[in-house]
Amino acid sequence: MLSQDSKITIIGGGVFGLSAALWLARDGYQSITIFDRCAFDKNFYDPANGCDGASADINKIFRMAYGDKTEYQNMAIEARNMWLEWNEQVASTPQSQLPGGLSQDDELLLECGNYFIAEGSELRQFYAESLASMERTAPDFRKTQFVRGNREDEERLAKLDPKWVERASKVHAINNGNTNGFFDIQGGITVADKACVFARHLCVKAGVKFVLGDPKGKFTSFITEKNGRDKKITGIMTADGLRHMSDIVIVAAGPWSATVIPEAHQTVEATAGTVMFIDIPEERKDLWKKFSPENYPAWSYRKGDGDTYYQGGSFPISKTGRLKFGFRGKKFTNFEDHPTAPGLRISTPRTKYSENPIDTVPIYGLSQMKEVIFDAFPELAEFGFTDSRLCWYTDSIDNDYVIDYVPGYSDSLFICTGGSGHAFKFLPILGRHVKNQLERKTDQFSPLWKWRVAEPGRSNNGISEGEDGPRALSRIEMACRSDFSAKEKPPVKL
């Protein structure tokens, strides 16, 4: 029976693990320990320093637009308020009291605006649903969203501040201006690595313990005993050979979740988005200014459907001069043997820091990105893409999270994952609802986040494709370094 004296082990120190630990600790749970193979206390969640989790990133989109999914929309609105509070806390804390990797001038949420655009003149259904939902349930926030081509909205934006009009115009060259969409001036980006550093700092202050780095923080197996017809988890083993006993284990391992819990391989799947970077030289102050958060919004662009679907976006320049571009029109898989379940093959992240490292991306996504980005921003063509990353997500069968007790383990094993590419924005607030599910307090998310598995005969968000499916990296042509150049035009094919 879970109580505030229960020993709680959390596997994973990313957005799900941090947020869950923070809310549990602040509510009086006394014994919480997070284990992670990454040494976050030394590398500060910086992806350039060996971090390869989905949360270890330079930036993430912050949006409140969720179509007709008002549960997530309203949670995003709530999270926004908390992000702004965190900004104030960082700015007002003496530098000597901030954790390593964080400075007083670091903003965790940058309200640079978020432009949602799509091909053609007719407003895309998801965008129309988002605006209608906001008008119906949060009308004050709808007043800060402006539809492209709507004369009344464009006049409102100009009266509010002409700088917003100028910022929005930066993306109008996409698809030669033949686009529809809306601009949300209360959206923007979160600075992911800095945000995780601060969240871990808050966890430590609340009494959460951390065991980090390989081997001491690396999970290897559960300690399991029989409990009637079910099993019971009584702790975990780490790669240094030590046993860590606990009353409940929460698995918040992101795209590695199914490698920890074999039963989850039909519930969540590791999928990779294509991410490309352009590093702007310090001497190009003109481009640093143009693409700064003060002058350039985050944006998402959609076109086509089905096999021709494009969903990609861009972020303002980082403090180190890095422009990031993402593509998720197709999300790729990488099947390997499960580490503890003989005969089981599951999609497993492969990164620059894996035992079998990879430093490129599928040519399919790269090709499409080049066409969109260098046509819209020809001034970037001279640099081409300077770096790449496979950004691994944890897709559920329906893009809702999976936060529930795992069946067959006598309430000793809890899964907390399935971000499906849209979880990071909830870092400050997600743990409140994780705690509800852990304590079996029903809220609006309980029916959405319950344990579920892929159903036969359905696509299940691609999970049913398996190793022989069209997205497996083993079947995909990968880009060569020369393909990163804007001058090369590799074919768009799978």
Side-chain angles (χ1 to χ4, degrees):
M1 183 73 177
L2 183 69
S3 72
Q4 292 192 334
D5 295 325
S6 297
K7 294 185 68 174
I8 299 173
T9 290
I10 299 177
I11 301 173
V15 56
F16 281 87
L18 289 171
S19 194
L22 182 60
W23 281 87
L24 288 168
R26 285 181 167 177
D27 198 46
Y29 286 85
Q30 301 294 316
S31 181
I32 304 169
T33 305
I34 291 179
F35 291 81
D36 202 293
R37 61 185 172 79
C38 288
F40 297 131
D41 54 337
K42 296 180 176 63
N43 56 38
F44 308 124
Y45 290 86
D46 185 344
N49 288 338
C51 294
D52 55 5
S55 297
D57 204 345
I58 60 172
N59 44 39
K60 301 282 190 184
I61 289 289
F62 180 83
R63 63 180 168 100
M64 292 169 286
Y66 260 97
D68 59 1
K69 293 187 175 183
T70 55
E71 299 88 356
Y72 292 109
Q73 170 202 284
N74 294 337
M75 185 162 63
I77 292 173
E78 184 180 7
R80 179 180 174 274
N81 295 330
M82 188 73 75
W83 280 112
L84 295 176
E85 288 183 19
W86 280 14
N87 278 354
E88 293 178 1
Q89 289 179 41
V90 172
S92 62
T93 300
Q95 185 62 50
S96 61
Q97 297 178 26
L98 288 173
L102 196 63
S103 301
Q104 283 183 299
D105 63 350
D106 284 324
E107 291 185 89
L108 308 183
L109 171 66
L110 297 176
E111 293 181 286
C112 58
N114 205 327
Y115 211 152
F116 300 88
I117 56 176
E119 180 182 41
S121 59
E122 184 176 348
L123 195 64
R124 196 171 180 96
Q125 181 179 352
F126 175 78
Y127 298 165
E129 289 176 347
S130 297
L131 293 167
S133 175
M134 198 70 77
E135 179 69 43
R136 185 175 65 255
T137 63
D140 286 344
F141 282 87
R142 174 62 183 86
K143 293 175 183 177
T144 62
Q145 297 169 327
F146 305 85
V147 177
R148 174 161 164 71
N150 181 295
R151 184 174 180 178
E152 181 180 340
D153 276 8
E154 291 183 345
E155 288 177 352
R156 283 195 304 116
L157 183 62
K159 288 180 180 178
L160 187 65
D161 191 336
K163 290 183 179 179
W164 281 117
V165 177
E166 183 179 354
R167 192 178 305 188
S169 69
K170 293 291 196 303
V171 302
H172 287 166
I174 293 175
N175 198 39
N176 295 315
N178 181 23
T179 56
N180 67 84
F182 69 94
F183 188 36
D184 185 348
I185 65 171
Q186 294 197 88
I189 63 170
T190 56
V191 183
D193 52 351
K194 304 293 186 182
C196 285
V197 167
F198 187 64
R200 195 180 86 81
H201 169 67
L202 295 178
C203 283
V204 171
K205 288 180 63 177
V208 178
K209 299 179 178 64
F210 285 81
V211 181
L212 301 173
D214 188 354
K216 63 180 181 179
K218 183 178 180 179
F219 167 88
T220 56
S221 63
F222 292 117
I223 301 171
T224 308
E225 64 180 32
K226 284 288 186 181
N227 187 35
R229 297 180 62 182
D230 289 341
K231 293 176 284 187
K232 184 177 181 181
I233 303 297
T234 58
I236 68 169
M237 294 280 293
T238 46
D240 57 0
L242 295 182
R243 296 159 60 91
H244 307 273
M245 308 310 292
S246 62
D247 297 305
I248 185 169
V249 175
I250 299 174
V251 176
W256 287 270
S257 294
T259 68
V260 177
I261 305 175
E263 295 91 333
H265 79 282
Q266 286 294 298
T267 297
V268 292
E269 182 177 59
T271 66
T274 303
V275 174
M276 302 301 297
F277 303 98
I278 298 176
D279 294 305
I280 305 299
E282 288 188 15
E283 62 269 19
R284 292 301 303 271
K285 300 301 183 184
D286 58 325
L287 296 183
W288 278 68
K289 181 179 180 180
K290 175 175 180 175
F291 292 102
S292 72
E294 293 76 26
N295 297 312
Y296 180 76
W299 54 265
S300 174
Y301 174 56
R302 305 184 185 207
K303 69 173 181 176
D305 292 288
D307 289 340
T308 65
Y309 181 52
Y310 184 101
Q311 180 184 348
S314 173
F315 301 74
I317 197 167
S318 72
K319 283 187 174 182
T320 61
R322 172 159 278 201
L323 284 171
K324 173 182 164 185
F325 302 89
F327 171 77
R328 296 190 73 228
K330 285 191 183 296
K331 298 166 290 182
F332 302 94
T333 55
N334 175 60
F335 281 80
E336 297 179 4
D337 291 334
H338 194 281
T340 63
L344 178 61
R345 300 272 291 175
I346 65 167
S347 183
T348 306
R350 186 181 172 199
T351 75
K352 292 182 178 181
Y353 309 111
S354 301
E355 291 183 5
N356 180 23
I358 187 170
D359 63 356
T360 187
V361 295
I363 202 168
Y364 176 83
L366 174 62
S367 300
Q368 299 226 47
M369 293 171 74
K370 288 171 68 170
E371 181 180 347
V372 170
I373 294 162
F374 294 127
D375 284 352
F377 306 102
E379 64 270 42
L380 299 177
E382 66 175 289
F383 309 108
F385 293 119
T386 50
D387 198 6
S388 69
R389 182 187 186 191
L390 287 175
C391 188
W392 290 92
Y393 301 94
T394 324
D395 281 352
S396 71
I397 61 175
D398 50 18
N399 290 326
D400 288 317
Y401 309 154
V402 184
I403 303 177
D404 198 359
Y405 287 92
V406 180
Y409 285 92
S410 307
D411 287 357
S412 64
L413 182 60
F414 190 87
I415 189 169
C416 186
T417 190
S420 304
H422 68 104
F424 195 91
K425 69 179 73 64
F426 300 124
L427 172 61
I429 200 67
L430 180 63
R432 171 187 290 174
H433 301 284
V434 173
K435 188 173 77 71
N436 283 347
Q437 312 317 310
L438 193 67
E439 295 175 338
R440 297 191 185 281
K441 295 178 180 177
T442 301
D443 66 15
Q444 65 269 39
F445 295 105
S446 300
L448 298 178
W449 295 351
K450 65 183 178 181
W451 174 269
R452 55 207 184 277
V453 297
E455 298 181 23
R458 296 190 176 184
S459 67
N460 300 305
N461 200 19
I463 288 178
S464 297
E465 290 177 0
E467 190 166 6
D468 295 328
R471 298 180 298 133
L473 287 180
S474 61
R475 303 164 60 89
I476 299 294
E477 182 182 356
M478 306 300 287
C480 299
R481 191 71 194 183
S482 61
D483 295 323
F484 286 21
S485 168
K487 298 177 182 177
E488 298 295 327
K489 294 289 185 181
V492 179
K493 66 180 181 179
L494 281 176

